[in-house]
Amino acid sequence: MDLFRLFNRGESSNSKDIAKERLQLLLIHDRANVSPQFLEMIKSEIMDVITDYIEIDEDGFEFKLTRTKRESDNSTIPALVANIPIKKMKENIR
Amino acid sequence: MGEVIVITSGKGGVGKTTTAANIGTGLALEGKSVVLLDADIGLRNLDVVMGLENRIVYDLVDVVEGICRMKQALIKDKRYTNLYLMPAAQTKDKNAVNPEQMLKLTKDLAEEFDYVLVDCPAGIEQGFKNAIAGANRSIVVTTPEVSAVRDADRIVGLLEAHGLRNPQLIINRVKIDMVRRGDMMNIDDMVDILAIDLLGVIPDDEYIVISTNRGEPAISDSKSLAGQAYKNIVKRILGENVPFMNLDPEEGFMAKLAKAFGFRRK
């Protein structure tokens, strides 16, 4: 068992790592106190603005609250992450 | 003027009452005058953990309602002369008192005692608001489980919102073997997640069950590992710099070898 773990180091197969990971993500939502509806509202407004200029894959549009490491001090901070797949630029606007 | 410390957790069953009983007894052992205030109206338990359940005449609600004087509701501990308990009412509910009344009560108690320890009920409603009303210091108890840690984090936010800055963390019921196997979050993980100061770590200890059965806090027994951990916490509360108990999962090779052959380090 210990030998197995020796070769498996780095990968988080330990249940405590799963717990920590889940908690860190969960607490970002708890602390920010944002409802899914609220996030959905921001998402649709951002989508409105972007689609004026760019044709995007609306089904592939991802928008979520997550966490990231701040470069200055390496601390974990909440982050809004949007992934917006572009189909093509709208020529007539430019 | 004494200090009012609230012991809280959010989630039930993580050891708030046991912690209140042990820290209170510990402070009394150090020569301080202490009152334990059970704020869990309707579900009181501090009396039974302290072994004082047969001595209750008046309770906290009687004092607040003016049915008796404050001193009449104070039960003297069996063993320590400078330790008292003010029990909660058992037949009323959390709305029987309000935060203003609790503020006044804790203030009056702090005039008489060095330490007022408030045992907070689980939850975040009226009972919680009552318990924290007069506190100038707060302790958050949690266990290394996702549900307890999540609730602890919520409580930390609420305490700070009510002006109780710098709550301190007690991690209770740490199972050293499970931490070693990587199946329980370790101290660093927990401090990392909750990002508050650590006051102490209590190892899971069968002795807590035994001492609760007897109605005698584990801190007064030198055989109990948890009791020892509570002693360290008491010293830290009094401002001493006590190193954290070694619950390190990465034991040295010799220690492992010694353990395999049945030797215990002392």
Side-chain angles (χ1 to χ4, degrees):
Chain A
M1 182 60 201
D2 271 332
L3 199 66
F4 174 74
R5 209 188 293 153
L6 195 69
F7 293 109
N8 212 12
R9 210 165 266 188
E11 262 178 67
S12 55
S13 54
N14 285 338
S15 72
K16 72 107 175 169
D17 291 325
I18 299 168
K20 190 177 180 186
E21 184 72 27
R22 287 175 62 213
L23 265 169
Q24 283 177 325
L25 206 56
L26 177 65
L27 292 184
I28 283 165
H29 281 267
D30 283 1
R31 285 173 189 169
N33 200 12
V34 271
S35 64
Q37 293 91 320
F38 183 69
L39 273 184
E40 200 53 44
M41 195 183 81
I42 307 177
K43 178 182 168 179
S44 78
E45 282 190 34
I46 288 176
M47 192 138 67
D48 283 349
V49 174
I50 289 174
T51 49
D52 283 346
Y53 305 95
I54 303 167
E55 199 174 307
I56 63 166
D57 172 13
E58 293 193 11
D59 292 331
F61 189 162
E62 266 189 302
F63 187 75
K64 61 184 179 184
L65 195 60
T66 177
R67 64 201 166 92
T68 186
K69 281 239 190 293
R70 183 161 56 196
E71 273 182 28
S72 58
D73 59 356
N74 230 11
S75 65
T76 306
I77 51 165
L80 269 177
V81 172
N83 187 8
I84 312 168
I86 298 171
K87 278 185 176 161
K88 64 174 195 221
M89 297 296 170
K90 288 190 175 170
E91 291 298 332
N92 51 340
I93 299 279
R94 274 188 296 176
Chain B
M1 194 73 183
E3 199 169 29
V4 182
I5 307 177
V6 63
I7 294 155
T8 176
S9 72
K11 190 177 177 298
V14 297
K16 278 182 298 300
T17 303
T18 306
T19 297
N22 278 287
I23 293 179
T25 306
L27 285 166
L29 275 165
E30 293 281 337
K32 302 292 173 188
S33 65
V34 182
V35 60
L36 294 164
L37 180 60
D38 191 346
D40 201 347
I41 301 167
L43 288 169
R44 76 173 172 216
N45 270 322
L46 196 46
D47 55 337
V48 80
V49 172
M50 292 298 294
L52 300 171
E53 67 274 19
N54 293 327
R55 305 184 184 196
I56 298 176
V57 182
Y58 295 110
D59 58 50
L60 178 162
V61 177
D62 294 326
V63 177
V64 166
E65 290 178 349
I67 291 167
C68 69
R69 281 175 291 113
M70 188 174 86
K71 290 215 167 116
Q72 289 177 288
L74 289 172
I75 302 164
K76 201 171 181 313
D77 186 71
K78 285 189 271 192
R79 294 152 296 247
Y80 306 106
T81 51
N82 44 351
L83 178 60
Y84 288 81
L85 167 75
M86 184 179 284
Q90 182 70 339
T91 53
K92 312 221 167 74
D93 68 42
K94 313 281 191 258
N95 302 317
V97 295
N98 63 41
E100 291 75 44
Q101 292 167 322
M102 284 295 284
L103 178 65
K104 172 156 192 324
L105 177 63
T106 48
K107 215 173 167 185
D108 291 346
L109 287 168
E111 300 273 344
E112 308 281 327
F113 293 91
D114 297 329
Y115 287 94
V116 181
L117 295 188
V118 187
D119 184 20
C120 178
I124 54 172
E125 297 84 16
Q126 178 84 6
F128 169 74
K129 287 175 188 143
N130 283 339
I132 66 167
N136 17 70
R137 188 165 169 178
S138 58
I139 294 173
V140 176
V141 183
T142 187
T143 59
E145 288 147 31
V146 283
S147 50
V149 175
R150 182 193 200 178
D151 290 0
D153 188 75
R154 183 114 166 76
I155 287 295
V156 168
L158 289 170
L159 288 169
E160 286 173 348
H162 281 85
L164 278 164
R165 306 268 154 215
N166 306 323
Q168 291 180 293
L169 182 68
I170 291 180
I171 305 172
N172 194 17
R173 266 185 238 140
V174 176
K175 293 186 204 278
I176 299 162
D177 282 349
M178 289 193 77
V179 171
R180 207 166 279 158
R181 272 185 270 135
D183 278 329
M184 180 172 269
M185 285 182 281
N186 62 38
I187 311 313
D188 290 343
D189 293 330
M190 308 266 296
V191 172
D192 213 21
I193 292 168
L194 290 169
I196 62 172
D197 289 343
L198 184 65
L199 181 61
V201 179
I202 316 290
D204 191 45
D205 183 359
E206 286 185 2
Y207 201 87
I208 289 288
V209 180
I210 299 168
S211 65
T212 309
N213 286 345
R214 296 203 168 109
E216 294 167 3
I219 196 165
S220 46
D221 196 298
S222 56
K223 291 194 296 290
S224 163
L225 200 57
Q228 188 57 51
Y230 277 120
K231 265 188 199 133
N232 292 345
I233 285 175
V234 166
K235 288 195 180 127
R236 287 183 204 114
I237 289 174
L238 294 171
E240 254 182 77
N241 192 2
V242 188
F244 290 101
M245 216 183 249
N246 186 19
L247 304 173
D248 200 310
E250 296 296 322
E251 272 185 303
F253 174 70
M254 286 311 287
K256 271 187 186 150
L257 198 68
K259 206 169 178 192
F261 286 99
F263 296 109
R264 286 196 67 158
R265 281 178 304 168
K266 192 67 205 166

